[in-house]
Amino acid sequence: MSDPDTDPGDVLEELASLPTLAHPTASPDGSEVAFYYDASGRNELHVLDVETGEHTQWSDGEVPRNARWFVEWDADGDRVFFHLDDDGDEQNDVYAIDRDGSVEPVVEFRGQTVLADVGEDGQTLLVGSTRDGQMNLYSHDLESGETTKLTDYDRAARGGLLSPDGERVAYATNESDDFDNLDVYVANADGSDARNLELGETGAEATPVDWGPDGERLLVSDNSADLTRSGVYDRRTDEVTWFGGDSEEQPAFFMPDGQRFLAVRTREAAKMPVVYDVGSGESRELELPEGVAGFGLAGDAVLGDDRILLTHTTPTRRPDLLAYDLSTDETETLVEAEYGPFSPEEFADAEYRTFASDGVPETPQAAVEHDPYDTLEIGALLYDSGERPSPLVVNPHGGPRGMDDKAFDLYTQFLVQQGYSVLQVNYRGSTGRGRSFVRELYDDWGGAEQGDVATGAESVLDEYDWLDADRVAVFGGSYGGYSAYWQLVQYPQLYDAGVAWIGLTDLEEMYETTMPHYRTELLEKNIGTPESNPDLYRERSPIQYVENLSAPLFMLHGVNDRRVPVSQARLFRDALAEAGYTAAAEAGEAGDYEYTELGEEGHASSDIDQKIRLFRLLADFLDRRLGTEPVVAED
């Protein structure tokens, strides 16, 4: 916790302004690392000299304010490609910047365009784009400027990878009748002769991850055996060798020798890197403190024959950029996280805890009644603010296929600094627990997973008497925003306030207005189509139950959001007004609900000014509606 004499507004701004590094990407020869960094107050592209430790700012306002999308080097290591959109709307074009700061557009399409891979020939880019509707793959020739469409699927094609010789392309898509399915394909570089490798069973998900240096082997992931595992597919024999299987693991990239590959192993709420020997199948975790370690893009995390690039963070320590030597297990800090006026000791650590849930909490339901589901062990993270008694903010994660882990979370620490304890629940449907746990959410949005969230809140309120059951709020963004809406209308007796940020409210309208690949990969995969499942789309839409709202609600939504369009918030706002609820005339005034649209912003933002704006709005609302009343213990 911060000094009680410190102005809360100062703490809020200082937290939001802590310099953040994003998307570190090693150059082809491993001598440099490109990354986004906002120490100047604005997101800019920086390049680090690995040997000297010096980093230089290449851009001066040309890159996006929001560091959502990754960067990637060209084949010669002279330029860096980045994604540029209009005020966070994610309708990206691909640009390039060189060492002199010169910027030029490279691929400009209508819709969302994402750089999938850079060919080693220096001439070819593989991009995914919604130019023609659905997300498909295109080959772009840098010299001629010509673009060729390689795939034409009804469902999204993703994970595109060019082989080292440029003769083949690997990707994932789904041509089956099973919405849950995802297969790995390999085609010629022009898209012809595409072949489904049939690596996993129908209904499972397999994806390509990295080509081996010889171009004959392909690193893949698959969850046919429930827990995601790594595989090495050999084109010469048409066989795959599987690795792991005892823990949820996501393969990352081959080492230059082709005899080793890296993966990330999930263990409860920690994510730790693992190195595998392809020949023997043996593996070992890297020697790092328990927390969350991550790599950049496949193959763009190699600094040398044995050195790799990674980030490492814990709940109380912000991400450091490290070089790790696989031969000695020694680490070198390339860019150390900055803490400004704070220290790691001032941040709240995460207590990992579990509870049993059958998806039906004790709290009375006001929306959709359910019989008990299968009882599962649900994991959660609890952050203690130190206030006594402490109000509680329940903070469901987005996705829904995401998870809360033991990484530094700025939003959590912001809430803790304001005096709120925070609970994050990895409800059924979250990643990190295998395919069967994810599938618990299929055809059941707004069902058992929301019961898990409410049960998690009940469990900590019952166990810790220092939590104030009369001051409980729910706050979430994206699918977490859907959860916030749904918790408030399904379990109104549990909450005293709620904040729904960029959340879904009307599932059928969402289906009609979101981007095509979100329609197929998010909605159809989880709950089918409105035509095939009309009752579920209607029944699990929070907008159907506005009359159940009994706690003050704050709705925030970016006007440029193309994932969850701002119409989702506007519809819910209008439904509240029609139901007779009173809106606050201005921010800070009383009313049943408050509503703010965030200009120049899409589906959340990492921009410092925009984070400060959001933090101020959240702090003001929660203080007025919930408040903190710290009690000093007597000696």
Side-chain angles (χ1 to χ4, degrees), residues 423-434:
L423 177 69
Q424 297 174 330
V425 177
N426 284 323
Y427 49 78
R428 65 191 74 197
S430 304
T431 56
R433 296 274 298 274

Side-chain angles (χ1 to χ4, degrees), residues 463-474:
E463 183 173 345
Y464 301 106
D465 59 9
W466 47 266
L467 287 172
D468 188 345
D470 294 325
R471 290 185 296 154
V472 180
V474 59

Side-chain angles (χ1 to χ4, degrees), residues 207-210 217-221 230-232 251-254 261-262:
T207 60
V209 176
D210 191 24
R217 291 182 298 178
L218 186 65
L219 184 63
V220 299
S221 71
S230 305
V232 174
F253 58 91
F254 277 111
F261 69 85
L262 275 294

